[in-house]
Amino acid sequence: MGLLTAATLAALDHEVVGVDEDEEKIGLLRQGVSPFYEPGLPKLIQEGMSSGNLRFEVRAYDAVADAEVVFICVGTPARVSGEANLVAIERSARALAQHLTGPIVVIEKSTVPAGTAQRLWQVLTLERPDLADDIEVVSNPEFLREGQAVEDSFEPGRILVGARSERAFEIMRRLYEPLVRDGARIIETDIRTAELAKHACNAYLAMKISYVNALARLCERADADVTAVADVMGSDPRIGRAFLDAGLGWGGYCFPKDLQAFERLSARLGYDFRLLREVERINDEAIVAAVEKVKDALWNLEDKRVALLGLSFKPKTDDVRLSPALALARKLIDEEATVVGYDPEAGPNAKSELPDLQLAPSVYDALEGAHCFVVCTDWDEFRSIDLDRARDILAHPIVVDGRNVFDPAEMRRKGFIYYGTGRPSDHGMR
Ligand code: UGA
């Protein structure tokens, strides 16, 4: 997110210095190489560097001396308790405070619990009481999605800014002026509202997915089709079709930690937001349901080979953090299945996260000799699998379609035993 912010602002003709403690990462960036897979990002980085607007430094907090604004984009992972760990925010604030020379706007870009900006301001001004009147803290949460982060950065739809003074709002308007000219809307609020709104958005989206996944469990029992139900729901503009795709559930770096942090913040403030715990419980259930389907299809998992197609937490990224595919792989491995996975981008990351997973170099290598295959992530590549070839190389023609990428009727016509998600399935004990 920091890298995207840096590259985007450089493209908007601001002068940007990207700072990170990780020397290896900075080394790659200086060669124009992105340390992770994100479509369009390497080109954006290279363009930024050749225009002279973008450079990268290790721990160069002195870059702060000449800056008008500083973005804090560090990670806010979950503690064991579920609370957001804000140590990196505090550390970076302390480090940058040492180098401040005059008026500065410090922008909190990381996702944080409401009230964090106040803490941030406290740290900065305790470190630099001489600049207490010159330090402004602004909340500017990010809404970009992995896999389409470049598009989202240039067409953000909305830009959320929480600030305290007209001077800070004015600087933020200047920063994003080219995007506003292209149609983005700036929503200006107080700081705590901006912080809380970010958590509210992510938790709501996760809730929408969990709602459709709960419907999927019901549709499976009622022999109804959850995709068609979602289409009906989505045709009502009050509901909208987005984020109503049933599957193995939500994962990634953001939803799981943000949902927990939001629930913990609520608890700390004295409100029991138990709906959020239920949203999480339904999400865990999606993996259990997939394991049950594999077992229904294969009976005992010992001596069985299961192919998983897609290992990243969603398509177009190599990010496997809290990927539902890996959660499923772990459960299947625990039950002694041999699990072989294929992903267009995330294979190496998946393997280092889960060494017991076998990696295949292609879809067909994964399917060869497998007793069933599970579609875990809806990469486009899987929609164009040669189904005749797949059926012939599998040990058994069984598919668990964890993302509903196939047409059930076509799969049956091609001779597959088909298990969908929230759709009528062929059962092992017919
Ligand atoms: C999410 C939000 O969508 C962004 O707006 C936000 O900026 C970001 O978190 C963040 O806070 O940084 P992201 O984590 O990249 O973005 O991924 P999403 O596209 O939201 O997908 C999250 C998970 O939900 C994925 O595992 C995806 O497969 C799953 N999902 C999504 C479904 O299972 N069904 C759907 O209908 C949609």
Side-chain angles (χ1 to χ4, degrees), residues 31-202:
Q31 296 165 46
V33 178
S34 171
F36 53 87
Y37 175 76
E38 182 65 47
L41 183 56
K43 183 166 168 271
L44 197 60
I45 296 168
Q46 288 151 18
E47 285 170 358
M49 289 199 301
S50 48
S51 73
N53 281 346
L54 181 61
R55 63 187 169 91
F56 297 99
E57 301 289 349
V58 183
R59 279 186 220 98
Y61 289 104
D62 47 341
V64 166
D66 304 321
E68 264 185 279
V69 302
V70 175
F71 281 87
I72 297 189
C73 305
V74 294
T76 52
R79 290 184 187 274
V80 179
S81 64
E83 273 187 314
N85 183 337
L86 302 171
V87 172
I89 299 250
E90 180 172 351
R91 282 194 188 134
S92 43
R94 278 189 206 290
L96 82 89
Q98 307 308 321
H99 299 280
L100 293 178
T101 52
I104 189 86
V105 174
V106 178
I107 303 173
E108 174 190 83
K109 195 80 176 149
S110 312
T111 301
V112 291
T116 304
Q118 176 63 28
R119 289 277 186 193
L120 188 53
W121 187 81
Q122 241 169 28
V123 171
L124 291 165
T125 52
L126 281 173
E127 294 288 325
R128 293 301 301 272
D130 55 316
L131 292 176
D133 293 336
D134 293 324
I135 298 173
E136 293 255 15
V137 173
V138 166
S139 163
N140 175 214
E142 185 51 67
F143 294 105
L144 58 80
R145 293 161 291 178
E146 287 184 34
Q148 50 208 96
V150 172
E151 276 158 72
D152 285 351
S153 295
F154 286 97
E155 291 166 35
R158 64 185 197 249
I159 297 164
L160 178 57
V161 176
R164 221 192 304 225
S165 76
E166 186 49 32
R167 181 178 82 97
F169 280 124
E170 195 40 57
I171 288 177
M172 297 305 285
R173 285 178 209 133
R174 217 161 24 93
L175 205 55
Y176 289 118
E177 197 268 330
L179 297 180
V180 174
R181 233 186 301 133
D182 285 347
R185 187 164 73 99
I186 298 193
I187 303 176
E188 297 181 354
T189 69
D190 64 274
I191 296 174
R192 280 172 192 249
T193 300
E195 291 174 321
L196 197 138
K198 166 67 191 190
H199 268 150
C201 288
N202 274 5

Side-chain angles (χ1 to χ4, degrees), residues 81-83 113 259-274 276-277:
S81 64
E83 273 187 314
L259 202 82
Q260 286 191 357
F262 201 30
E263 194 274 338
R264 291 289 84 203
L265 171 75
S266 274
R268 188 155 55 73
L269 296 175
Y271 178 67
D272 183 7
F273 207 153
R274 77 184 76 135
L276 300 183
R277 294 200 292 280

